[in-house]
Amino acid sequence: MAMDYAEIVKEVGSLRAPPNLDDYERTRREWSWDRVRADLGLRDDFVNQAYQCIDRHVYDGRGEKTAMIWEGADGAIERYTFEDMRRQTNRFANVLRKLGVRKADRVFIFADRIPELYFALFGVLKVGAIGAPLFSAFGPEPVAERVKRAEGMMIITTPALLPKVNAIRGDLPSLKHVMVIGHRAAVTAAEGDLDYGALMAEASDEFEIERTGAEDWSIMHFTSGTTGLPKGAAHVHGAVVGHYATGKYALDLHPDDVFWCTADPGWVTGTSYGMFAPWSNGVTQVIYEGGFGATRWYDIIQRHRVTVWYTAPTAIRMLMKGGSRIAKQRDLSSLRYMMSVGEPLAPAGVVWGVEAIGLPFHDNWWQTETGAVMITNFPALPIRPGSMGLAFPGIEAAIIDDEFQEITQPMQEGQLALRPGGPSMFRTYWQDEERYNSRFKGGWYLTGDRAKRDADGYFWFIGRDDDVINTAGHLVGPFEVESALIAHPAVAEAGVIGKPDAMAMEIVKAFVALKDGYEPSEELRRELIGHARQRLGPGVAPREIEFVSSLPKTRSGKIMRRLLKARELGLPEGDTSTLEED
Ligand code: ATP
Ligand code: MG
């Protein structure tokens, strides 16, 4: 079932701006990264992400435009212009330089989403150091492990998180400074710690940005840890070319947009799309300090007249779980374009967007390693619900076999691979060159995901390499089974694994969380198995269903199938540093 976005938009009458990319084939044919560089005004060797996202707009006469609309968890609303951002980040950069922070030093930022987090990160980029943001809900252990791995020289944190840093700082020989940032609160630093307020007050708001080049390090992100130990993917300043281009053509950002990305900067979506893509495009964005809450989220869209919204399947599933009533009571008519990333988005999620909000969610695919969107459903093209979309112009994506040969026949399953190169791709796994090299084979970058491509070039996700199930001679992707289960009205979430079996090698087992108002029962279990069989056939439908109250997820919201499996088999759970505790 292809969904014609143009038709839907006509119906809801909200196509306020023609899409930036109106002819996919032509744009792809004529694509040139050099032209994007020229668009950004990149003429000589100087490329700095902070300059591109902030200072450039001030010099181009957009200094008074709002860069950030910040909404605090307590309801406070603050606005910062690009000029405010320039001054604050300059001050921060001066502070860092005075402390002796230099090019390529690793500076960790372990903070809640307060404005100072954003000043700090761009300050780090201005001195040419490497920013390494960490999700604030991490406990001391995961913080210590990551700081050690990257030999971090500084941690910037908030008063509430400082005790976690204090618990581990003795173990971190590379650590020279701890700085405490806070918002509106007086910050008392421990003896020997740096007091942000005092340092900023005496710093100048003029700063000469480090002359970084396209290949100089900028940011390091640890992956979500869905499949194992998180890896520190390191990126370079030149990545901003990819952020800008995907912001313009995949997110379809226009100058008067109000953009909202719900991801935390502790994960790559929260920096690539919660900072670099909107701001390199000079677009105003909303930053909300708090976490998920259906009513609050709809209020934010209504209050700030959000036009473009980027969120994740886990949030969409939670919104769906609550039903469409609250959405319908709000005025969400400002919205023009909605996207989802991070996990497969079931067709039911795409369609629910239309039902509840009047617009479909556009799925797109990328990874911490790729740094920017690689495959996406575009606004100008029909959505194929359940598909991740088409390769972004300038990106060559393919399905390859075990010999690293491209599979050109449509709908044949294989590994999703990309041609190496491109501005936003990671340049290493920090301190793990061997693992980095192992991702490149036969002239391809191996994504570790399995997928197929249809005759029109749309990619369909099957599962991660490690999650694919081998049952009685078929290979079954968990996503297909989960999507079928989610299509049943009682099911809120499903996680599917292969359970070892003497006869079939593995059998398909599903863990199912129900929507509000449904109770587990033997009858419902049978009904779900019947429902899945009808859609998938008996070879692919789950043989076993277990009801659970919730599924284990990473803090970035992804279902951790490896943990479901380990628990099922009574095996060690492996690295759980990114597991979200209920
Ligand atoms: P780790 O590499 O530590 O196991 P992770 O792969 O979950 O964690 P991320 O880089 O945050 O870390 O996630 C990228 C992965 O998320 C992709 O490789 C893919 O498996 C999944 N993913 C992202 N977007 C989509 C999508 N639209 N559809 C299906 N899967 C997606
Ligand atoms: Mg991964």
Side-chain angles (χ1 to χ4, degrees):
M1 165 186 52
M3 193 183 288
D4 191 340
Y5 177 72
E7 278 304 306
I8 293 162
V9 168
K10 221 187 291 156
E11 232 167 76
V12 297
S14 69
L15 185 58
R16 300 179 321 157
N20 289 328
L21 182 153
D22 54 5
D23 183 338
Y24 175 77
E25 289 305 333
R26 200 195 64 228
T27 311
R28 198 172 165 77
R29 225 174 22 246
E30 295 173 358
W31 188 261
S32 137
W33 287 112
D34 279 335
R35 203 158 50 230
V36 181
R37 284 186 193 97
D39 240 22
L40 277 169
L42 294 171
R43 272 171 226 99
D44 52 16
D45 297 343
F46 173 62
V47 185
N48 184 283
Q49 277 182 305
Y51 178 84
Q52 286 303 323
C53 291
I54 299 172
D55 299 46
R56 184 168 64 92
H57 302 303
V58 175
Y59 301 129
D60 287 353
R62 292 184 290 275
E64 291 316 309
K65 182 171 179 181
T66 302
M68 160 159 73
I69 303 173
W70 181 77
E71 179 163 326
D74 64 3
I77 293 169
E78 296 174 11
R79 282 165 203 277
Y80 298 86
T81 63
F82 283 101
E83 171 63 5
D84 296 334
M85 296 290 296
R86 187 185 73 87
R87 288 174 188 272
Q88 294 287 347
T89 55
N90 278 352
R91 281 177 183 241
F92 200 88
N94 276 313
V95 168
L96 291 173
R97 199 166 268 172
K98 202 165 149 199
L99 291 171
V101 177
R102 292 213 304 255
K103 204 167 165 184
D105 281 342
R106 275 77 62 205
V107 178
F108 280 78
I109 305 182
F110 180 46
D112 295 311
R113 284 186 298 277
I114 54 176
E116 290 73 8
L117 156 60
Y118 296 80
F119 307 155
L121 188 69
F122 283 98
V124 169
L125 295 172
K126 283 188 168 180
V127 297
I130 305 177
L134 294 178
F135 190 41
S136 58
F138 275 154
E141 273 312 306
V143 176
E145 194 207 303
R146 287 161 178 77
V147 175
K148 268 186 209 159
R149 175 92 60 89
E151 297 170 298
M153 70 99 76
M154 180 167 179
I155 301 179
I156 297 165
T157 190
T158 53
L161 302 176
L162 184 61
K164 298 196 212 177
V165 175
N166 286 339
I168 51 167
R169 59 204 294 175
D171 273 353
L172 302 171
S174 62
L175 188 67
K176 289 212 187 79
H177 304 293
V178 173
M179 183 190 285
V180 187
I181 58 177
H183 190 63
R184 276 184 277 125
V187 176
T188 26
E191 203 181 333
D193 285 349
L194 306 165
D195 179 346
Y196 170 79
L199 289 164
M200 288 288 275
E202 62 194 35
S204 156
D205 54 20
E206 293 306 323
F207 180 79
E208 197 177 319
I209 298 178
E210 180 77 29
R211 301 289 298 175
T212 45
E215 290 300 314
D216 282 330
W217 299 117
S218 60
I219 194 160
M220 186 186 318
H221 267 293
F222 289 85
T223 58
S224 291
T226 314
T227 51
L229 204 63
K231 310 162 276 268
H235 295 271
V236 292
H237 279 277
V240 73
V241 172
H243 300 141
Y244 171 78
T246 52
K248 187 160 178 182
Y249 299 113
L251 275 54
D252 195 39
L253 294 173
H254 287 62
D256 60 350
D257 271 324
V258 177
F259 173 68
W260 183 29
C261 168
T262 59
D264 185 86
W267 311 111
V268 70
T269 311
T271 57
S272 291
Y273 296 99
M275 299 185 189
F276 305 133
W279 284 337
S280 61
N281 277 278
V283 162
T284 303
Q285 68 162 329
V286 172
I287 287 159
Y288 171 49
E289 184 187 19
F292 178 83
T295 311
R296 182 69 180 262
W297 277 28
Y298 294 130
D299 284 344
I300 288 172
I301 293 169
Q302 174 174 309
R303 186 160 35 248
H304 303 297
R305 308 289 302 154
V306 171
T307 57
V308 180
W309 186 30
Y310 199 8
T311 190
T314 184
I316 296 169
R317 289 192 300 260
M318 284 194 276
L319 293 172
M320 288 168 75
K321 200 171 171 190
S324 58
R325 191 177 48 86
I326 319 174
K328 290 191 169 139
Q329 287 165 352
R330 299 292 182 286
D331 175 8
L332 306 179
S333 61
S334 59
L335 283 170
R336 183 184 88 243
Y337 194 51
M338 313 201 296
M339 281 154 303
S340 162
V341 75
E343 275 191 299
L345 177 65
V350 178
V351 174
W352 183 83
V354 179
E355 253 166 54
I357 302 172
L359 295 170
F361 284 100
H362 290 71
D363 190 14
N364 51 57
W365 178 96
W366 57 292
Q367 315 177 297
T368 309
E369 290 86 345
T370 70
V373 170
M374 297 282 121
I375 294 176
T376 187
N377 283 283
F378 291 91
L381 293 171
I383 294 182
R384 300 195 173 170
S387 157
M388 311 186 286
L390 297 155
F392 189 79
I395 300 298
E396 201 187 323
I399 304 296
I400 60 169
D401 64 19
D402 295 343
E403 269 78 55
F404 314 111
Q405 297 302 313
E406 181 166 358
I407 304 174
T408 48
Q409 245 175 314
M411 290 320 247
Q412 292 291 307
E413 177 181 335
Q415 180 162 190
L416 177 60
L418 305 168
R419 281 290 179 213
S424 67
M425 275 296 268
F426 74 140
R427 299 295 195 258
T428 196
Y429 286 130
W430 204 257
Q431 308 265 38
D432 202 350
E433 200 62 19
E434 202 181 311
R435 190 161 189 177
Y436 173 74
N437 290 331
S438 75
R439 300 291 296 260
F440 297 88
K441 290 210 177 92
W444 295 101
Y445 164 69
L446 311 178
T447 68
D449 287 341
R450 298 188 74 77
K452 43 196 180 181
R453 180 168 56 180
D454 68 22
D456 301 318
Y458 282 75
F459 286 88
W460 299 77
F461 185 76
I462 290 172
R464 293 156 184 273
D465 252 351
D466 312 9
D467 290 339
V468 170
I469 302 162
N470 190 340
T471 183
H474 308 285
L475 289 179
V476 175
F479 171 48
E480 190 185 4
V481 182
E482 290 162 10
S483 291
L485 288 167
I486 288 177
H488 188 281
V491 177
E493 287 193 310
V496 167
I497 62 162
K499 178 178 168 181
D501 179 83
M503 290 290 291
M505 182 130 151
E506 289 185 305
I507 59 158
V508 178
K509 169 157 188 178
F511 295 83
V512 166
L514 297 174
K515 281 195 187 141
D516 299 345
Y518 290 90
E519 292 299 325
S521 69
E522 200 38 50
E523 200 189 335
L524 182 56
R525 184 200 318 275
R526 274 199 301 270
E527 185 180 320
L528 290 178
I529 290 182
H531 162 92
R533 284 197 168 175
Q534 204 187 3
R535 296 188 164 226
L536 301 166
V540 177
R543 272 238 240 132
E544 279 183 30
I545 289 186
E546 184 173 329
F547 292 112
V548 291
S549 58
S550 65
L551 293 166
K553 290 193 204 80
T554 65
R555 293 190 186 278
S556 53
K558 298 163 193 258
I559 296 169
M560 270 171 139
R561 294 177 194 80
R562 70 173 160 97
L563 210 60
L564 285 171
K565 192 157 178 173
R567 287 175 180 173
E568 175 72 28
L569 304 181
L571 296 172
E573 297 197 342
D575 182 87
T576 53
S577 65
T578 63
L579 177 67
E580 177 187 60
E581 269 100 14
D582 283 320

